[in-house]
């Protein structure tokens, strides 16, 4: 396993948990977060036994977002570059920071974010890149960047409109206000609210295990078709999924499903990578 001062990867059968592991700072995102996240996702992507992954956090909070004090101290010359050369360095730094969160969104493996207590700024960027989001009832969410004089640039402004609609996104981004777990549930940002973190982790792992039992080629196809469809017409999306199934439908798992239906037996998918204990 790749080591990181910010992350820890734990494997449970065919599911991985990507732990944010800076609890003493409420998982505030310092440079090791941005530097190491792409490698963490690449490790998950490269492991055929991982069919689905959960993004969770140790400690009291999911994440309070960018560690502004530490980050500004480390990159002050970049932030305050006077001439075009300096501005270009800041531009490249922003693109570098975007890579890890983009990697979650673009991963062929489904991801589930589990949010307790604070999910602020960069934390919201992170969970908006996941496929599914659950929260404990003490969770609060905030697109806080406007309150610290920053235009959010890690993906929330691009992804949230497709999750909660343009109007909700504008309200969150322009006010920087906090919303509760129940409000997040009502607007569709999360799809489940649990009593506490223990029940949150249990619910997330149950869903991840349910996903992991399905054919991995189908799960990849579902993600790719859904992501491709954003910004496209229904007709374009239907054509794309028709091409996908014309190419990928007749898999080993599809034949196993047909055989199980004919024999009245439950098919076992992913036999080559399945972990049962």
């Amino acid at each position: 396993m790749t080591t990181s001062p910010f992350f820890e990867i734990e494997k449970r059968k065919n599911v991985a948990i990507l732990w944010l592991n800076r609890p003493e700072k409420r998982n505030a995102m310092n440079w090791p977060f941005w530097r190491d996240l792409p490698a963490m996702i690449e490790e998950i992507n490269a492991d055929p036994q991982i069919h689905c992954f959960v993004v969770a956090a140790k400690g009291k909070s999911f994440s309070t977002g960018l560690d502004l004090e530490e980050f500004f101290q480390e990159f002050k010359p970049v932030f305050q570059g006077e001439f075009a050369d300096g501005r270009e360095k800041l531009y490249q730094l922003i693109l570098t920071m975007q890579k890890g969160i983009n990697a979650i969104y673009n991963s062929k493996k489904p991801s589930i974010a589990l949010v307790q207590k604070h999910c602020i700024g960069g934390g919201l960027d992170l969970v908006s890149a996941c496929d599914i989001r659950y929260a404990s009832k003490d969770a609060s969410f905030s697109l806080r960047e406007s309150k610290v004089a920053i235009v959010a640039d890690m993906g929330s402004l691009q992804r949230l409109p497709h999750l909660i609609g343009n109007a909700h996104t504008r309200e969150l981004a322009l006010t920087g206000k906090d919303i509760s777990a129940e409000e997040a549930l009502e607007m569709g940002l999360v799809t489940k609210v649990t009593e506490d973190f223990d029940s949150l982790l249990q619910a997330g792992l149950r869903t991840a295990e349910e996903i992991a039992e399905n054919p991995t080629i189908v799960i990849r196809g579902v993600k790719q078709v859904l992501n491709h469809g954003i910004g496209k017409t229904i007709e374009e999306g239907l054509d794309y999924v028709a091409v996908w199934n014309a190419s990928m439908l007749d898999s080993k798992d599809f034949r196993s499903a047909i055989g199980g239906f004919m024999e009245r037996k439950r098919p076992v998918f992913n036999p080559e990578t399945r972990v049962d204990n």
Side-chain angles (χ1 to χ4, degrees), residues 98 101-102 124-125 128-129 152-161:
Q98 290 174 349
I101 292 177
N102 288 344
L124 186 52
D125 292 313
S128 69
D153 55 7
M154 292 293 124
S156 286
L157 297 182
Q158 290 70 40
R159 296 189 177 103
L160 285 178

Side-chain angles (χ1 to χ4, degrees), residues 58-154:
K58 296 189 176 182
K60 295 181 179 180
S61 297
F62 181 79
S63 178
T64 53
L66 180 67
D67 189 328
L68 277 170
E69 182 177 357
E70 183 175 322
F71 213 82
F72 185 76
Q73 288 176 352
E74 185 165 355
F75 291 99
K76 183 177 179 179
V78 178
F79 283 117
Q80 297 184 336
E82 185 175 355
F83 300 109
D85 307 72
R87 314 320 299 165
E88 185 178 16
K89 288 180 181 178
L90 179 55
Y91 170 71
Q92 293 299 332
L93 175 62
I94 293 170
L95 293 184
T96 297
M97 292 170 65
Q98 290 174 349
K99 288 181 180 178
I101 292 177
N102 288 344
I104 292 177
Y105 183 78
N106 293 323
S107 174
K108 294 180 180 179
K109 300 184 179 184
S111 53
I112 303 172
L114 305 180
V115 177
Q116 80 275 24
K117 204 62 176 174
H118 303 98
C119 182
I120 298 172
L124 186 52
D125 292 313
L126 177 60
V127 304
S128 69
C130 295
D131 296 292
I132 298 169
R133 287 155 296 279
Y134 294 167
S136 56
K137 70 177 185 181
D138 66 351
S140 64
F141 299 81
S142 176
L143 192 52
R144 187 72 60 82
E145 283 85 348
S146 62
K147 290 191 178 296
V148 291
I150 299 173
V151 175
D153 55 7
M154 292 293 124

Side-chain angles (χ1 to χ4, degrees), residues 45-58:
N45 289 340
D47 189 336
Q49 290 187 339
I50 297 174
H51 298 172
C52 180
F53 66 99
V54 169
V55 181
K58 296 189 176 182

Side-chain angles (χ1 to χ4, degrees), residues 211-257:
I211 292 170
E213 290 180 355
N214 292 328
T216 55
I217 191 170
V218 171
I219 296 307
R220 291 198 299 271
V222 168
K223 274 207 66 170
Q224 191 160 331
V225 168
L226 285 171
N227 287 354
H228 175 83
I230 293 176
K232 307 291 196 310
T233 65
I234 291 176
E235 289 75 15
E236 288 171 322
L238 287 170
D239 184 70
Y240 185 82
V241 73
V243 171
W244 175 273
N245 271 343
S247 304
M248 304 293 187
L249 180 64
D250 191 20
S251 64
K252 292 179 181 178
D253 287 323
F254 177 72
R255 295 191 183 190
S256 178

